[in-house]
Amino acid sequence: MRRVPRDHTTTVIAASALMAAGVTLYQLSRPGSLFGATADIAVYLGGSIRLVHGALPYRDFVYVEPPGFVLLATPFAFLSEVLGSRDALAILRLCTPLVAVLSVVLVGRLVRHRGAAATLVACGVMALFPAELYALHSVLLEPVLELCCLGGACLVFDGDSFAAPRRLAVGGAVFGLAVSVKLSALIPMLIVLALCLPQLRRRALPFACGAVAGCALPALPFLLVAPAAMYRDVVATQLGRIPASGRVPLLTRLGDITGASAFGGGTTAAIIVAMVLCGLVAGAFVLSRRRPAPLEWFALGSVAALTAAQLVPAQYYTHYAAVIAPFLSILLAVALARLRLARSPKLSLAIAAGAVALLLIDQVAYVRGQSTPDVQAAVDSVIPPGGCAVSDAPRILVTTDRFVAATRGCTTMADPGGTVLALDSSAEASRVWSAVVHHVDYVVTATPIGAWAVPAAASLYVEQHFTVVRSGSLLIYVRRGRPAGPGQPVAP
């Protein structure tokens, strides 16, 4: 295989990084994207805000993810003390282009020894994978997890082979950090460990020690304080999603995993794209007749295992597929490099550039129609600053500076949805929700409190002691006797 000079791959990586930055900045420019209410990130930042106020995840409130991101987001939580949670969240969102750029650069670094065309394919897919852009727009955990995994892979691999033991240990620690952000990172971490096992002392032990340290250090303080609650929230709750009702169809998942759903082709497109990708990869490895290198086994194993894992839980969301993006990027790059076509660098580069250009055009057209609702005015019209409030959607409170009350003793709840999942209909759920509704003065929701999956006693208390104030698409319950915006207190 002819080698393309390294400065060409540097240009490709730089151009791809600029493209990733441009697309993610374009997403942030869409209506409501900077200050609007998007799911999940409010829960994650909210957990950090509770932490800096002295409440510990798992012990003082339910949090269904590992503690890694809660710790990583603490600078923004401290910033919210000065600027408010609305502006702190906007600043956190402005970091997404940096995450996108770093991910593209790390993917490029992993495959640049395979030539410019392979590098362009890897960087282009990483920059424009539809589920990845969705996760970046919503500021979800997957891009952070992927960034850690890519950083770990850059340390673990030196070209196609493994690096020295010291780098393996540090790389293992970075993979462990990824697991402390979200448990999905266990899969690529275990793939690396399996590849290291033939050389137990030189490779497997250094990597495993680093991985254990990376996983344990962020979790240890919380595990020591509330071991049973942490297991319930992080492990048992995730396992409980597997047998849930209302299973999302296989072809819907396949459309997200392959990126076909972004083109609006439905199930047929998902099947066709999946067959093309599988045929391309299988053909590349069969025709080249070379034993896969460790980096190639890593990409193959991670894509296969993560794809299988996407099919296990009944509950499924589009951003789950984002975790496949870096490994699929690497796999497609090494597949292209293995094909005979790679012996013609100019033709390979032209084909890769055309494919990336089509993907770029499609994603820009999709992003153009994005918008996110901003509920600031609606909440301001009813809930005074510093009011003690709770919502089934924390994004409403975080994006309107109502997540933290002016008075102590309001509530430490950060994730109402996760609380419902973790506690279900247990006596603990009744105790937690009763404490919440007895302390708060405002309840903000898009659906009546009676439709929430909360204990009946809690919803009945709200119906008996609160009055509904309608504000656009939101329902805001106000405790009788408390002020409702600039008007008079709600009549008792």
Side-chain angles (χ1 to χ4, degrees):
M1 185 175 64
R2 288 176 59 185
R3 294 276 182 128
V4 177
R6 178 158 291 199
D7 59 334
H8 287 194
T9 60
T10 300
T11 302
V12 168
I13 294 170
S16 300
L18 288 173
M19 179 176 64
V23 173
T24 47
L25 285 170
Y26 184 48
Q27 283 192 135
L28 290 173
S29 73
R30 309 317 300 149
S33 291
L34 198 56
F35 292 102
T38 54
D40 291 350
I41 180 55
V43 172
Y44 309 142
L45 179 59
S48 290
I49 292 173
R50 296 290 189 231
L51 179 62
V52 301
H53 278 261
L56 292 179
Y58 319 114
R59 186 194 70 179
D60 299 319
F61 60 89
V62 171
Y63 187 74
V64 297
E65 300 290 354
F69 192 83
V70 164
L71 297 173
L72 291 173
T74 50
F76 301 95
F78 282 113
L79 193 61
S80 72
E81 296 291 289
V82 180
L83 302 178
S85 59
R86 178 178 171 87
D87 289 339
L89 179 55
I91 293 171
L92 178 56
R93 283 172 169 154
L94 287 171
C95 294
T96 56
L98 178 61
V99 173
V101 166
L102 290 175
S103 296
V104 167
V105 170
L106 291 176
V107 161
R109 185 183 182 280
L110 277 167
V111 302
R112 65 184 303 170
H113 62 284
R114 293 300 187 103
T119 304
L120 179 57
V121 166
C123 293
V125 171
M126 190 69 238
L128 301 171
F129 193 69
E132 178 72 7
L133 289 178
Y134 175 82
L136 284 165
H137 176 256
S138 301
V139 200
L140 300 172
L141 295 181
E142 279 73 12
V144 180
L145 174 157
E146 296 157 26
L147 183 61
C148 292
C149 286
L150 287 170
C154 285
L155 289 163
V156 165
F157 295 101
D158 185 3
D160 285 333
S161 301
F162 284 108
R166 183 175 297 179
R167 278 181 56 182
L168 280 169
V170 179
V174 179
F175 270 104
L177 178 61
V179 174
S180 79
V181 172
K182 194 164 185 175
L183 295 180
S184 306
L186 272 170
I187 292 175
M189 186 179 78
L190 291 176
I191 296 291
V192 175
L193 181 60
L195 293 172
C196 290
L197 282 177
Q199 295 191 26
L200 183 62
R201 293 184 62 182
R202 178 172 172 78
R203 292 179 180 169
L205 284 179
F207 180 80
C209 290
V212 169
C215 292
L217 289 178
L220 189 59
F222 307 102
L223 189 60
L224 291 175
V225 171
M230 189 173 183
Y231 173 81
R232 177 201 65 198
D233 292 0
V234 178
V235 180
T237 300
Q238 301 300 336
L239 292 176
R241 295 185 178 194
I242 294 175
S245 60
R247 189 171 187 83
V248 176
L250 171 64
L251 291 178
T252 300
R253 304 175 191 227
L254 192 62
D256 292 333
I257 292 168
T258 60
S261 58
F263 294 92
T267 57
T268 302
I271 294 172
I272 292 173
V273 173
M275 292 177 63
V276 169
L277 292 177
C278 289
L280 173 66
V281 173
F285 280 87
V286 170
L287 292 174
S288 62
R289 297 181 182 179
R290 285 186 285 109
R291 184 180 179 85
L295 177 65
E296 294 172 326
W297 278 123
F298 170 67
L300 273 169
S302 297
V303 170
L306 286 168
T307 299
Q310 302 279 309
L311 310 180
V312 173
Q315 293 183 349
Y316 174 83
Y317 302 97
T318 297
H319 63 270
Y320 286 3
V323 74
I324 295 178
F327 312 104
L328 181 62
S329 301
I330 299 167
L331 182 59
L332 292 177
V334 298
L336 176 63
R338 276 176 167 262
L339 289 172
R340 293 182 182 275
L341 188 63
R343 294 182 178 178
S344 176
K346 291 183 179 179
L347 180 58
S348 299
L349 192 58
I351 293 174
V356 171
L358 288 175
L359 188 57
L360 175 62
I361 292 169
D362 177 75
Q363 288 308 293
V364 169
Y366 174 76
V367 170
R368 188 184 209 176
Q370 287 181 339
S371 64
T372 306
D374 189 348
V375 295
Q376 176 81 68
V379 171
D380 282 349
S381 68
V382 178
I383 305 178
C388 180
V390 71
S391 174
D392 61 336
R395 62 182 180 270
I396 296 174
L397 303 182
V398 171
T399 57
T400 57
D401 285 329
R402 298 306 193 280
F403 191 74
V404 177
T407 57
R408 287 184 174 273
C410 175
T411 178
T412 59
M413 183 174 286
D415 183 7
T419 302
V420 169
L421 285 173
L423 303 183
D424 198 15
S425 57
S426 63
E428 177 72 3
S430 182
R431 183 190 68 78
V432 168
W433 281 103
S434 293
V436 170
V437 297
H438 278 74
H439 282 90
V440 301
D441 298 322
Y442 305 91
V443 179
V444 189
T445 177
T447 57
I449 185 71
W452 290 18
V454 299
S459 60
L460 181 61
Y461 179 87
V462 172
E463 291 171 355
Q464 291 176 342
H465 295 85
F466 288 67
T467 298
V468 178
V469 177
R470 293 185 180 274
S471 179
S473 60
L474 293 180
L475 289 174
I476 304 180
Y477 292 76
V478 182
R479 184 183 292 275
R480 297 184 182 99
R482 295 293 188 268
Q488 297 297 317
V490 175

